[in-house]
Amino acid sequence: MLAVDGPSGSGKGTIARQVAELLGWHFLDSGALYRLVGLAALTAEIDFNDTDTLANIALGLEVRFANKGGDERIWLQDREVSAEVRSEAAGAAASQIAPLPAVRAALAQLQRGFRRPPGLVADGRDMGTVVFPDATVKVFLTASLEERARRRYNQLKEKGIDVSLAAVSKDMAARDRRDTERSVAPLKAAADARILDSTDLSPEQVTHQLLDWLKQAGITPKH
Ligand code: C5P
């Protein structure tokens, strides 16, 4: 089991997916689950403080992930929600509902269900600290705010979304603050996590470093 945590834009999603693919392991994008609860709250106009209703939604999430040609797709019951889940609105809503302990407890239970042979790579904010404290290898991936904002800005531009770098950077700083300062499962490295700053590294270099650490723990790629 590999846990990869870090702030948004640190590249953890891309790297964790790639490492899962190389190992032939399952992959869990835990942020997508928070985004789904956030989306449900937006769609049904549920107040972000309505803990009971939101926790019930989290408990009842019928989510399915599928990887088609390297492209991750997400279904909620029978409805494909891949694009909605990745929207900035869903990300912002996710970080609003993420501080609620009852929502976190429900989603942690759901997340642990993804751990199946031959192994799991899970990415998020509290994979190594709370959800999978016994993970074989824990990595905390960071990068400067400037670099993370630049990466997110480029991604959005590629998708044809019109935003300014300053606005992306401001949103990201606000989300970082909410994730780091919340009292339940704040974003932080586990005491036994390996910390990697990806500011000046290519995705290939980061993947290489993770594979090295896995190798030291006796885990090697399938080919
Ligand atoms: O990683 P992603 O940007 O998809 O996560 C969206 C939001 O969900 C984060 O800003 C954070 O508030 C929340 N989250 C969390 N714990 C996780 C994953 C995501 O609190 N394990």
Side-chain angles (χ1 to χ4, degrees):
M1 157 96 220
L2 166 67
V4 185
D5 290 303
S8 38
S10 59
K12 64 186 160 35
T14 313
I15 303 298
R17 265 184 201 90
Q18 202 178 347
V19 171
E21 173 75 33
L22 290 167
L23 295 174
W25 283 12
H26 299 283
F27 169 67
L28 169 65
D29 170 6
S30 67
L33 304 179
Y34 285 90
R35 286 165 179 265
L36 282 171
V37 177
L39 263 183
L42 285 181
T43 314
E45 296 186 16
I46 299 162
D47 195 286
F48 288 137
N49 295 314
D50 187 350
T51 310
D52 291 350
T53 307
L54 293 168
N56 273 326
I57 289 176
L59 279 173
L61 274 189
E62 281 184 41
V63 61
R64 204 156 46 81
F65 293 93
N67 197 316
K68 291 210 173 144
D71 192 21
E72 186 190 60
R73 296 170 69 180
I74 306 172
W75 279 268
L76 195 54
Q77 288 169 323
D78 293 331
R79 195 164 68 88
E80 188 177 353
V81 291
S82 315
E84 279 165 88
V85 163
R86 289 192 197 103
S87 68
E88 291 300 285
S95 84
Q96 301 268 357
I97 56 94
L100 304 172
V103 171
R104 300 203 71 85
L107 290 184
Q109 201 180 315
L110 190 65
Q111 286 158 24
R112 292 186 186 115
F114 282 84
R115 192 171 189 176
R116 285 187 299 262
L120 178 70
V121 179
D123 106 57
R125 304 290 189 290
D126 61 343
M127 299 296 96
T129 48
V130 176
V131 183
F132 302 109
D134 62 336
T136 328
V137 175
K138 299 178 185 177
V139 176
F140 191 81
L141 198 56
T142 60
S144 67
L145 174 64
E146 201 184 3
E147 173 64 15
R148 291 185 290 115
R150 200 184 55 76
R151 289 176 190 169
R152 179 59 54 87
Y153 171 72
N154 288 338
Q155 270 174 2
L156 293 171
K157 262 198 14 194
E158 255 170 49
K159 284 197 227 159
I161 300 170
D162 186 27
V163 280
S164 74
L165 179 59
V168 173
S169 176
K170 192 165 158 247
D171 279 1
M172 204 167 243
R175 194 176 314 170
D176 279 0
R177 208 170 310 117
R178 275 201 297 272
D179 288 349
T180 323
E181 290 175 2
R182 68 175 175 232
S183 52
V184 184
L187 169 66
K188 67 164 195 241
D192 52 352
R194 304 193 183 247
I195 298 176
L196 185 58
D197 185 333
S198 76
T199 308
D200 298 316
L201 300 178
S202 67
E204 292 71 30
Q205 287 173 310
V206 177
T207 301
H208 192 263
Q209 177 63 77
L210 263 62
L211 289 176
D212 232 41
W213 285 331
L214 285 160
K215 197 170 154 198
Q216 287 169 24
I219 300 162
T220 46
K222 57 177 177 173
H223 37 232

Coordinates of all heavy atoms in Angstrom, one line a residue, residues 125-211:
R125 N -5.2 13.9 1.2 CA -4.6 14.8 2.2 C -4.3 14.1 3.5 O -3.4 14.6 4.2 CB -5.7 16.0 2.5 CG -6.2 16.8 1.3 CD -5.1 17.6 0.8 NE -5.5 18.6 -0.2 CZ -6.0 18.3 -1.4 NH1 -6.0 17.0 -1.8 NH2 -6.4 19.2 -2.2
D126 N -5.0 13.0 3.7 CA -4.8 12.4 5.0 C -4.7 10.8 4.9 O -5.1 10.1 5.7 CB -6.0 12.7 5.9 CG -7.4 12.2 5.3 OD1 -7.4 11.9 4.1 OD2 -8.3 12.0 6.1
M127 N -4.2 10.4 3.7 CA -4.1 9.0 3.5 C -3.1 8.3 4.5 O -3.4 7.3 5.1 CB -3.7 8.7 2.0 CG -4.6 9.2 0.9 SD -6.2 8.4 1.0 CE -7.2 9.5 1.9
G128 N -1.9 9.0 4.6 CA -0.9 8.4 5.5 C -1.1 8.7 7.0 O -0.7 8.0 7.8
T129 N -1.9 9.8 7.3 CA -2.0 10.2 8.7 C -3.2 9.5 9.3 O -3.2 9.1 10.5 CB -2.2 11.7 8.8 OG1 -3.2 12.1 7.8 CG2 -0.9 12.5 8.6
V130 N -4.4 9.4 8.6 CA -5.6 9.0 9.2 C -6.2 7.7 8.6 O -6.5 6.8 9.3 CB -6.7 10.1 9.1 CG1 -8.0 9.6 9.7 CG2 -6.2 11.4 9.8
V131 N -6.3 7.7 7.3 CA -7.1 6.6 6.6 C -6.3 5.3 6.5 O -6.8 4.2 6.8 CB -7.6 7.0 5.2 CG1 -8.5 6.0 4.6 CG2 -8.5 8.3 5.4
F132 N -5.0 5.4 6.1 CA -4.2 4.2 6.0 C -2.9 4.4 6.8 O -1.8 4.5 6.2 CB -3.9 3.9 4.5 CG -5.1 3.8 3.7 CD1 -5.4 4.7 2.7 CD2 -5.9 2.6 3.7 CE1 -6.6 4.6 1.9 CE2 -7.0 2.5 2.9 CZ -7.3 3.4 2.0
P133 N -3.0 4.5 8.1 CA -1.8 4.8 8.9 C -0.7 3.7 8.8 O 0.4 3.9 9.1 CB -2.3 5.0 10.4 CG -3.6 4.3 10.4 CD -4.2 4.4 9.0
D134 N -1.1 2.5 8.4 CA -0.2 1.4 8.3 C 0.3 1.2 6.8 O 0.9 0.1 6.5 CB -0.8 0.1 8.8 CG -2.0 -0.3 7.9 OD1 -2.6 0.6 7.3 OD2 -2.4 -1.5 7.9
A135 N 0.2 2.2 6.0 CA 0.6 2.1 4.6 C 2.1 1.7 4.6 O 2.9 2.2 5.4 CB 0.4 3.4 3.9
T136 N 2.5 0.9 3.6 CA 3.9 0.4 3.5 C 4.9 1.6 3.3 O 5.9 1.7 3.9 CB 4.1 -0.6 2.4 OG1 2.8 -1.3 2.2 CG2 5.2 -1.5 2.6
V137 N 4.5 2.5 2.3 CA 5.3 3.6 2.0 C 4.4 4.9 2.0 O 3.3 4.8 1.5 CB 6.0 3.5 0.6 CG1 6.7 4.8 0.3 CG2 6.9 2.3 0.6
K138 N 4.8 5.9 2.6 CA 4.0 7.2 2.7 C 4.9 8.3 2.1 O 6.0 8.4 2.4 CB 3.7 7.6 4.1 CG 2.9 6.5 4.8 CD 2.6 7.0 6.3 CE 1.9 5.9 7.0 NZ 1.7 6.3 8.4
V139 N 4.3 9.0 1.2 CA 5.0 10.1 0.5 C 4.2 11.4 0.7 O 2.9 11.4 0.5 CB 5.2 9.9 -1.0 CG1 5.8 11.0 -1.7 CG2 6.0 8.6 -1.2
F140 N 4.8 12.5 1.0 CA 4.2 13.8 1.1 C 4.8 14.6 0.0 O 6.0 15.0 0.1 CB 4.4 14.4 2.5 CG 3.5 15.6 2.7 CD1 2.2 15.5 3.1 CD2 4.0 16.9 2.5 CE1 1.4 16.6 3.3 CE2 3.2 18.0 2.7 CZ 1.9 17.9 3.1
L141 N 4.0 15.0 -1.0 CA 4.5 15.7 -2.2 C 4.1 17.1 -2.1 O 2.9 17.5 -1.9 CB 3.8 15.0 -3.4 CG 4.5 15.2 -4.7 CD1 5.9 14.8 -4.8 CD2 3.7 14.5 -5.8
T142 N 5.1 18.0 -2.2 CA 4.8 19.4 -2.1 C 5.4 20.1 -3.3 O 6.1 19.5 -4.1 CB 5.5 20.1 -0.9 OG1 6.9 19.9 -1.0 CG2 4.9 19.5 0.4
A143 N 5.1 21.4 -3.5 CA 5.8 22.3 -4.4 C 5.4 23.7 -4.0 O 4.4 23.9 -3.2 CB 5.2 22.0 -5.9
S144 N 6.1 24.7 -4.5 CA 5.8 26.1 -4.1 C 4.4 26.4 -4.6 O 3.9 25.9 -5.6 CB 6.9 27.0 -4.6 OG 6.7 27.1 -6.1
L145 N 3.8 27.4 -3.9 CA 2.5 27.9 -4.3 C 2.5 28.4 -5.7 O 1.6 28.1 -6.5 CB 2.0 28.9 -3.3 CG 0.6 29.6 -3.7 CD1 -0.5 28.6 -3.7 CD2 0.3 30.8 -2.8
E146 N 3.6 29.1 -6.0 CA 3.7 29.7 -7.3 C 3.7 28.6 -8.4 O 3.0 28.7 -9.4 CB 5.1 30.5 -7.3 CG 5.2 31.5 -8.4 CD 6.6 32.1 -8.4 OE1 7.4 31.7 -7.5 OE2 6.8 33.0 -9.2
E147 N 4.5 27.6 -8.2 CA 4.6 26.5 -9.2 C 3.3 25.7 -9.3 O 2.8 25.4 -10.4 CB 5.8 25.6 -8.8 CG 5.9 24.3 -9.6 CD 6.2 24.5 -11.1 OE1 6.6 25.7 -11.4 OE2 6.0 23.6 -11.9
R148 N 2.6 25.5 -8.1 CA 1.4 24.7 -8.2 C 0.3 25.5 -8.9 O -0.5 25.0 -9.7 CB 1.0 24.4 -6.7 CG 1.9 23.3 -6.1 CD 1.4 22.9 -4.7 NE 1.5 23.9 -3.7 CZ 0.5 24.4 -3.0 NH1 -0.7 24.0 -3.3 NH2 0.7 25.3 -2.1
A149 N 0.3 26.8 -8.7 CA -0.7 27.7 -9.3 C -0.5 27.7 -10.8 O -1.4 27.6 -11.6 CB -0.7 29.1 -8.7
R150 N 0.8 27.7 -11.2 CA 1.2 27.8 -12.6 C 0.7 26.5 -13.3 O 0.1 26.5 -14.4 CB 2.7 28.0 -12.7 CG 3.1 28.5 -14.1 CD 4.7 28.5 -14.2 NE 5.3 27.2 -13.9 CZ 5.3 26.2 -14.7 NH1 4.8 26.3 -15.9 NH2 5.9 25.1 -14.4
R151 N 0.9 25.3 -12.6 CA 0.5 24.0 -13.2 C -1.0 24.0 -13.4 O -1.5 23.6 -14.4 CB 0.9 22.9 -12.3 CG 2.4 22.6 -12.2 CD 2.8 21.6 -11.2 NE 4.2 21.5 -11.0 CZ 4.8 20.8 -10.0 NH1 4.0 20.1 -9.2 NH2 6.1 20.7 -9.9
R152 N -1.7 24.4 -12.3 CA -3.2 24.4 -12.4 C -3.7 25.3 -13.5 O -4.6 25.0 -14.3 CB -3.8 24.7 -11.1 CG -5.3 24.8 -11.0 CD -6.0 23.5 -11.4 NE -5.5 22.3 -10.6 CZ -6.0 21.9 -9.5 NH1 -7.0 22.6 -8.9 NH2 -5.5 20.9 -8.9
Y153 N -3.1 26.5 -13.6 CA -3.4 27.5 -14.6 C -3.3 26.9 -16.0 O -4.1 27.0 -16.9 CB -2.6 28.7 -14.4 CG -2.7 29.8 -15.5 CD1 -3.8 30.6 -15.6 CD2 -1.6 30.0 -16.4 CE1 -3.9 31.5 -16.6 CE2 -1.7 30.9 -17.4 CZ -2.8 31.7 -17.5 OH -2.9 32.7 -18.5
N154 N -2.1 26.2 -16.3 CA -1.9 25.6 -17.6 C -2.9 24.6 -17.9 O -3.4 24.5 -19.0 CB -0.5 25.1 -17.6 CG 0.6 26.2 -17.7 OD1 0.2 27.3 -18.1 ND2 1.8 25.9 -17.3
Q155 N -3.3 23.8 -16.9 CA -4.3 22.7 -17.1 C -5.6 23.3 -17.5 O -6.2 22.9 -18.4 CB -4.5 22.0 -15.7 CG -3.7 20.8 -15.5 CD -3.9 20.2 -14.1 OE1 -4.8 20.7 -13.3 NE2 -3.2 19.2 -13.7
L156 N -6.0 24.4 -16.8 CA -7.3 25.0 -17.1 C -7.3 25.7 -18.4 O -8.2 25.6 -19.2 CB -7.6 26.1 -16.0 CG -7.9 25.5 -14.6 CD1 -8.0 26.7 -13.6 CD2 -9.2 24.7 -14.6
K157 N -6.1 26.3 -18.8 CA -6.0 26.9 -20.1 C -6.1 25.8 -21.2 O -6.8 26.1 -22.2 CB -4.7 27.7 -20.2 CG -5.0 29.1 -20.0 CD -4.0 30.1 -20.4 CE -2.9 29.7 -21.4 NZ -1.8 30.8 -21.4
E158 N -5.5 24.7 -21.0 CA -5.6 23.6 -22.0 C -7.0 23.2 -22.2 O -7.4 22.8 -23.3 CB -4.8 22.4 -21.4 CG -3.4 22.2 -22.1 CD -2.6 21.2 -21.4 OE1 -3.1 20.1 -21.2 OE2 -1.4 21.5 -21.2
K159 N -7.8 23.2 -21.1 CA -9.2 22.8 -21.2 C -10.0 23.9 -21.8 O -11.2 23.8 -21.9 CB -9.7 22.5 -19.8 CG -9.3 21.1 -19.3 CD -10.2 20.7 -18.1 CE -9.4 20.3 -16.9 NZ -10.2 20.3 -15.7
G160 N -9.4 25.1 -22.1 CA -10.1 26.2 -22.7 C -10.9 27.0 -21.7 O -11.8 27.8 -22.0
I161 N -10.5 26.9 -20.4 CA -11.1 27.7 -19.4 C -10.4 29.0 -19.2 O -9.2 29.0 -19.0 CB -11.2 26.9 -18.0 CG1 -12.0 25.6 -18.3 CG2 -11.9 27.7 -16.9 CD1 -12.0 24.6 -17.2
D162 N -11.1 30.1 -19.2 CA -10.5 31.4 -19.2 C -10.4 31.9 -17.7 O -11.3 32.3 -17.1 CB -11.4 32.4 -20.0 CG -10.8 33.7 -20.1 OD1 -9.6 33.8 -20.1 OD2 -11.5 34.7 -20.3
V163 N -9.1 31.8 -17.2 CA -8.9 32.3 -15.8 C -7.6 33.1 -15.8 O -6.8 33.0 -16.8 CB -8.8 31.2 -14.8 CG1 -10.1 30.6 -14.4 CG2 -7.8 30.1 -15.3
S164 N -7.3 33.8 -14.8 CA -6.0 34.5 -14.7 C -5.2 33.7 -13.7 O -5.7 33.1 -12.8 CB -6.2 36.0 -14.2 OG -6.6 36.0 -12.8
L165 N -3.9 33.8 -13.8 CA -3.0 33.1 -12.9 C -3.1 33.7 -11.5 O -3.1 32.9 -10.5 CB -1.5 33.4 -13.4 CG -0.4 32.7 -12.6 CD1 -0.6 31.2 -12.5 CD2 1.0 33.0 -13.2
A166 N -3.4 35.0 -11.4 CA -3.5 35.6 -10.1 C -4.8 35.0 -9.4 O -4.7 34.7 -8.2 CB -3.7 37.1 -10.2
A167 N -5.9 34.8 -10.1 CA -7.1 34.2 -9.5 C -6.9 32.8 -9.1 O -7.3 32.4 -8.0 CB -8.3 34.3 -10.5
V168 N -6.2 32.0 -9.9 CA -5.9 30.6 -9.6 C -5.0 30.5 -8.3 O -5.3 29.8 -7.4 CB -5.2 29.9 -10.8 CG1 -4.7 28.5 -10.4 CG2 -6.1 29.8 -12.0
S169 N -4.0 31.4 -8.3 CA -3.1 31.4 -7.1 C -3.9 31.8 -5.8 O -3.6 31.2 -4.8 CB -2.0 32.4 -7.4 OG -1.2 32.5 -6.4
K170 N -4.8 32.8 -6.0 CA -5.5 33.2 -4.8 C -6.4 32.1 -4.3 O -6.5 31.8 -3.1 CB -6.4 34.4 -5.2 CG -6.9 35.2 -4.0 CD -7.4 36.6 -4.4 CE -8.4 37.0 -3.4 NZ -9.8 37.2 -4.0
D171 N -7.1 31.4 -5.2 CA -8.0 30.3 -4.8 C -7.2 29.2 -4.2 O -7.7 28.6 -3.2 CB -8.7 29.7 -6.1 CG -9.9 30.5 -6.5 OD1 -10.1 31.5 -5.9 OD2 -10.5 30.1 -7.5
M172 N -6.1 28.9 -4.7 CA -5.2 27.8 -4.2 C -4.7 28.1 -2.8 O -4.8 27.3 -2.0 CB -4.1 27.6 -5.2 CG -3.5 26.2 -5.1 SD -2.4 26.0 -6.5 CE -3.2 24.7 -7.4
A173 N -4.3 29.4 -2.6 CA -3.9 29.7 -1.3 C -5.0 29.6 -0.3 O -4.8 29.2 0.9 CB -3.3 31.2 -1.3
A174 N -6.2 30.0 -0.7 CA -7.4 29.9 0.2 C -7.7 28.4 0.6 O -7.9 28.1 1.7 CB -8.6 30.6 -0.4
R175 N -7.6 27.6 -0.5 CA -7.9 26.2 -0.3 C -6.8 25.5 0.6 O -7.1 24.8 1.5 CB -8.0 25.4 -1.6 CG -8.6 24.1 -1.3 CD -8.8 23.2 -2.6 NE -9.5 23.9 -3.7 CZ -9.6 23.4 -4.9 NH1 -9.1 22.2 -5.1 NH2 -10.2 24.1 -5.8
D176 N -5.5 25.9 0.4 CA -4.4 25.4 1.2 C -4.7 25.8 2.7 O -4.5 24.9 3.6 CB -3.1 26.2 0.9 CG -2.4 25.6 -0.4 OD1 -3.0 24.6 -1.0 OD2 -1.4 26.1 -0.7
R177 N -5.1 27.0 2.9 CA -5.3 27.5 4.3 C -6.4 26.7 4.9 O -6.3 26.2 6.0 CB -5.7 29.0 4.2 CG -5.3 29.7 5.5 CD -5.5 31.2 5.4 NE -4.9 31.8 4.2 CZ -5.5 32.4 3.2 NH1 -6.8 32.6 3.3 NH2 -4.9 32.9 2.2
R178 N -7.6 26.5 4.2 CA -8.7 25.7 4.8 C -8.2 24.3 5.1 O -8.5 23.7 6.1 CB -9.9 25.6 3.8 CG -10.8 26.8 3.9 CD -12.2 26.5 3.3 NE -12.1 26.2 1.9 CZ -12.2 27.1 1.0 NH1 -12.4 28.4 1.3 NH2 -12.2 26.8 -0.3
D179 N -7.5 23.7 4.2 CA -7.0 22.3 4.3 C -6.0 22.1 5.5 O -6.0 21.1 6.2 CB -6.4 21.7 3.0 CG -7.5 21.5 2.0 OD1 -8.7 21.5 2.3 OD2 -7.1 21.2 0.8
T180 N -5.2 23.1 5.6 CA -4.1 23.0 6.6 C -4.5 23.4 8.0 O -4.1 22.9 9.0 CB -2.9 24.0 6.2 OG1 -2.8 23.9 4.8 CG2 -1.6 23.5 6.8
E181 N -5.5 24.3 8.1 CA -5.9 24.9 9.4 C -7.1 24.2 10.0 O -7.4 24.4 11.2 CB -6.2 26.4 9.2 CG -4.9 27.1 9.0 CD -5.1 28.6 8.7 OE1 -6.3 29.1 8.8 OE2 -4.1 29.3 8.5
R182 N -7.8 23.2 9.3 CA -8.9 22.6 9.9 C -8.5 21.7 11.0 O -7.3 21.2 11.0 CB -9.7 21.8 8.9 CG -9.0 20.6 8.3 CD -9.9 19.8 7.4 NE -9.1 18.8 6.8 CZ -9.0 18.5 5.5 NH1 -9.7 19.2 4.6 NH2 -8.3 17.5 5.1
S183 N -9.4 21.5 12.0 CA -8.9 20.8 13.2 C -8.9 19.3 13.0 O -8.2 18.5 13.6 CB -9.8 21.2 14.4 OG -11.1 21.0 14.1
V184 N -9.8 18.8 12.1 CA -9.9 17.3 11.8 C -9.1 17.0 10.6 O -9.3 17.5 9.5 CB -11.4 16.9 11.6 CG1 -11.5 15.4 11.5 CG2 -12.3 17.4 12.7
A185 N -8.2 16.0 10.7 CA -7.4 15.5 9.6 C -6.8 16.7 8.7 O -7.0 16.7 7.5 CB -8.2 14.5 8.8
P186 N -6.1 17.6 9.3 CA -5.6 18.7 8.5 C -4.5 18.1 7.6 O -3.9 17.0 7.8 CB -4.9 19.6 9.5 CG -4.6 18.8 10.7 CD -5.7 17.7 10.7
L187 N -4.2 18.9 6.5 CA -3.2 18.5 5.5 C -1.8 18.6 6.2 O -1.4 19.7 6.6 CB -3.3 19.4 4.3 CG -2.1 19.3 3.4 CD1 -2.1 18.0 2.7 CD2 -2.2 20.4 2.3
K188 N -1.2 17.5 6.4 CA 0.2 17.5 7.0 C 0.8 16.1 6.7 O 0.2 15.1 6.5 CB 0.2 17.8 8.5 CG -0.4 16.8 9.4 CD 0.0 17.0 10.8 CE -0.3 15.8 11.6 NZ -1.2 15.9 12.7
A189 N 2.1 16.2 6.7 CA 2.9 14.9 6.4 C 2.8 14.0 7.7 O 2.9 14.5 8.8 CB 4.3 15.3 6.1
A190 N 2.7 12.7 7.4 CA 2.7 11.8 8.5 C 4.1 11.8 9.1 O 5.1 12.1 8.3 CB 2.4 10.4 8.0
A191 N 4.3 11.4 10.4 CA 5.6 11.5 11.0 C 6.6 10.6 10.2 O 7.8 10.9 10.1 CB 5.5 11.0 12.4
D192 N 6.1 9.5 9.6 CA 7.0 8.5 8.9 C 6.9 8.7 7.4 O 7.2 7.8 6.7 CB 6.6 7.1 9.4 CG 5.2 6.8 9.2 OD1 4.3 7.7 9.0 OD2 4.8 5.6 9.4
A193 N 6.4 9.9 6.9 CA 6.3 10.1 5.5 C 7.6 10.6 4.9 O 8.4 11.2 5.6 CB 5.2 11.1 5.2
R194 N 7.9 10.3 3.7 CA 9.0 10.8 3.0 C 8.5 12.1 2.3 O 7.5 12.0 1.6 CB 9.5 9.8 2.0 CG 9.9 8.5 2.6 CD 10.6 7.7 1.7 NE 10.9 6.3 2.2 CZ 12.2 5.9 2.4 NH1 13.2 6.8 2.3 NH2 12.4 4.7 2.8
I195 N 9.3 13.2 2.5 CA 8.8 14.4 1.9 C 9.6 14.7 0.6 O 10.8 14.6 0.6 CB 9.0 15.5 3.0 CG1 8.1 15.2 4.2 CG2 8.6 16.9 2.4 CD1 8.2 16.1 5.3
L196 N 8.8 15.1 -0.4 CA 9.4 15.4 -1.7 C 8.9 16.7 -2.3 O 7.7 16.8 -2.4 CB 9.1 14.2 -2.7 CG 9.8 14.3 -4.0 CD1 11.3 14.3 -3.9 CD2 9.4 13.0 -4.9
D197 N 9.8 17.6 -2.5 CA 9.4 18.9 -3.1 C 9.6 18.8 -4.6 O 10.7 18.6 -5.1 CB 10.3 20.0 -2.5 CG 9.9 21.4 -3.0 OD1 9.3 21.5 -4.1 OD2 10.1 22.4 -2.2
S198 N 8.5 18.9 -5.3 CA 8.5 18.7 -6.8 C 8.7 20.0 -7.6 O 8.6 20.0 -8.8 CB 7.3 17.9 -7.2 OG 6.2 18.8 -7.3
T199 N 8.9 21.1 -6.9 CA 9.0 22.4 -7.6 C 9.9 22.4 -8.8 O 9.5 22.8 -9.9 CB 9.4 23.5 -6.6 OG1 8.6 23.5 -5.5 CG2 9.4 24.9 -7.3
D200 N 11.1 21.8 -8.6 CA 12.0 21.8 -9.8 C 12.2 20.4 -10.4 O 13.2 20.2 -11.1 CB 13.4 22.4 -9.3 CG 13.3 23.8 -8.8 OD1 12.6 24.6 -9.5 OD2 13.8 24.1 -7.7
L201 N 11.2 19.5 -10.2 CA 11.4 18.2 -10.7 C 10.3 17.9 -11.8 O 9.2 18.4 -11.8 CB 11.2 17.1 -9.6 CG 12.1 17.2 -8.4 CD1 11.8 16.1 -7.4 CD2 13.6 17.0 -8.9
S202 N 10.7 17.1 -12.8 CA 9.8 16.7 -13.8 C 8.9 15.6 -13.2 O 9.3 14.9 -12.3 CB 10.5 16.2 -15.1 OG 11.2 15.0 -14.7
P203 N 7.7 15.3 -13.8 CA 6.9 14.2 -13.4 C 7.7 12.9 -13.4 O 7.6 12.0 -12.5 CB 5.7 14.1 -14.3 CG 5.6 15.5 -14.9 CD 7.0 16.1 -14.9
E204 N 8.5 12.7 -14.4 CA 9.3 11.5 -14.5 C 10.3 11.3 -13.3 O 10.5 10.2 -12.8 CB 10.2 11.5 -15.8 CG 9.4 11.4 -17.1 CD 8.6 12.6 -17.4 OE1 9.0 13.7 -17.0 OE2 7.5 12.5 -18.0
Q205 N 10.9 12.5 -12.9 CA 11.8 12.4 -11.8 C 11.1 12.1 -10.5 O 11.6 11.3 -9.7 CB 12.6 13.8 -11.7 CG 13.6 14.0 -12.7 CD 14.2 15.4 -12.7 OE1 13.4 16.4 -12.6 NE2 15.5 15.5 -12.7
V206 N 9.9 12.6 -10.3 CA 9.1 12.3 -9.1 C 8.7 10.8 -9.1 O 8.9 10.1 -8.1 CB 7.9 13.2 -9.0 CG1 7.0 12.9 -7.8 CG2 8.3 14.7 -9.0
T207 N 8.2 10.3 -10.2 CA 7.9 8.9 -10.3 C 9.1 8.0 -10.0 O 9.0 7.1 -9.2 CB 7.3 8.6 -11.7 OG1 6.2 9.4 -12.0 CG2 6.9 7.1 -11.9
H208 N 10.2 8.4 -10.5 CA 11.4 7.6 -10.4 C 11.8 7.5 -8.9 O 12.1 6.5 -8.3 CB 12.5 8.3 -11.2 CG 13.8 7.4 -11.2 ND1 14.8 7.6 -10.4 CD2 14.1 6.4 -12.1 CE1 15.7 6.7 -10.7 NE2 15.3 5.9 -11.7
Q209 N 11.7 8.7 -8.2 CA 12.0 8.7 -6.7 C 11.0 7.8 -6.0 O 11.4 7.1 -5.1 CB 11.9 10.2 -6.2 CG 12.1 10.3 -4.8 CD 13.5 9.9 -4.3 OE1 14.5 10.6 -4.5 NE2 13.7 8.7 -3.8
L210 N 9.7 7.9 -6.3 CA 8.8 7.0 -5.6 C 9.0 5.6 -5.8 O 9.0 4.8 -4.9 CB 7.3 7.4 -6.0 CG 6.6 8.3 -5.1 CD1 7.3 9.7 -5.1 CD2 5.1 8.5 -5.5
L211 N 9.4 5.2 -7.1 CA 9.7 3.8 -7.4 C 10.9 3.3 -6.6 O 11.0 2.2 -6.1 CB 9.9 3.6 -8.9 CG 8.6 3.7 -9.7 CD1 9.0 3.6 -11.2 CD2 7.6 2.6 -9.4

